[in-house]
Amino acid sequence: MFYSQYILAKRGPLGTIWIAAHLDRKLRKGQITETDIAMAVQSIINPEAPLALRLSGQLMLGVVRIYSRKVNYLFQDCSEALVKIKQAFRGGEVDLP
């Protein structure tokens, strides 16, 4: 075994990353936003225990999937804010008393 079972435990440092790599749809938005991508990448690059090359590749896939969903959430929030700003400053008839 080329990894510590604690690393991939559900509550472990890379548990969410592993779930994203294998069960992408099982993650909630809260789990995605709480994940620190920089820390996860550092844990994969410099692991406490040696990792198999295949496992490190799977974990990097999980990082990419989480990053992609974070970018998608940011895009949706920005699009929603833009629509609200356009509605607030939309020209039209103003009915003042």
Side-chain angles (χ1 to χ4, degrees), residues 2-87:
F2 285 101
Y3 63 92
S4 170
Q5 290 184 357
Y6 167 73
I7 292 173
L8 297 181
K10 192 171 187 176
R11 303 269 183 209
L14 298 175
T16 305
I17 305 295
W18 190 86
I19 291 172
H22 295 281
L23 306 169
D24 188 35
R25 300 291 173 208
K26 295 280 185 176
L27 292 175
R28 295 182 306 273
K29 185 174 181 178
Q31 290 174 311
I32 296 291
T33 55
E34 288 176 359
T35 303
D36 183 14
I37 292 179
M39 185 275 311
V41 170
Q42 286 301 320
S43 295
I44 295 169
I45 293 173
N46 301 319
E48 297 171 4
L51 295 176
L53 184 59
R54 180 176 178 150
L55 177 61
S56 62
Q58 290 171 343
L59 292 173
M60 289 305 290
L61 173 65
V63 168
V64 168
R65 286 185 175 170
I66 287 177
Y67 184 74
S68 173
R69 288 191 49 190
K70 279 188 169 189
V71 168
N72 191 20
Y73 292 147
L74 178 63
F75 178 73
Q76 290 173 355
D77 291 344
C78 291
S79 296
E80 183 180 327
L82 181 64
V83 167
K84 288 182 180 179
I85 289 171
K86 284 183 178 181
Q87 286 178 350

